[in-house]
Amino acid sequence: MFQSNDLGAQPPTVPPAQTGKRKPRREKVTNVLYGSLEVLDRTIKHLHTLHYADPDDWSDPIPSGKDSQWMAVLIKHLLIE
């Protein structure tokens, strides 16, 4: 699993920690759910109980092109510090 470092190889160097604070930035993440309408509804409600996203923030279900399969999309903006 692990290889010995006996061959004189140097350990990887770690870059020095930044002294100044980084400016917070906004990034977006796209969440896509696939499944039956019942599964989408249940998953969206469960994510709401976890305070991840409000159910109204998700798109209306969209047919995925496969039999009995739908998708719902959520674009969430996060503040990265």
Side-chain angles (χ1 to χ4, degrees):
M1 181 185 280
F2 295 101
Q3 294 182 352
S4 172
N5 217 5
D6 294 340
L7 300 176
Q10 297 293 325
T13 59
V14 178
Q18 293 188 3
T19 55
K21 284 189 173 184
R22 296 179 109 183
K23 185 176 182 180
R25 67 188 189 284
R26 283 177 45 119
E27 287 196 25
K28 72 177 184 176
V29 60
T30 303
N31 301 261
V32 182
L33 298 177
Y34 289 96
S36 68
L37 290 174
E38 183 180 359
V39 168
L40 294 181
D41 184 61
R42 182 172 288 176
T43 303
I44 288 169
K45 287 177 180 174
H46 180 69
L47 290 171
H48 178 63
T49 64
L50 297 173
H51 305 287
Y52 184 72
D54 191 84
D56 292 334
D57 294 340
W58 289 87
S59 71
D60 289 333
I62 305 162
S64 72
K66 295 185 178 180
D67 288 343
S68 302
Q69 188 179 50
W70 297 77
M71 71 176 181
V73 179
L74 166 72
I75 298 176
K76 188 171 176 86
H77 294 273
L78 301 172
L79 187 62
I80 306 298
E81 296 184 41

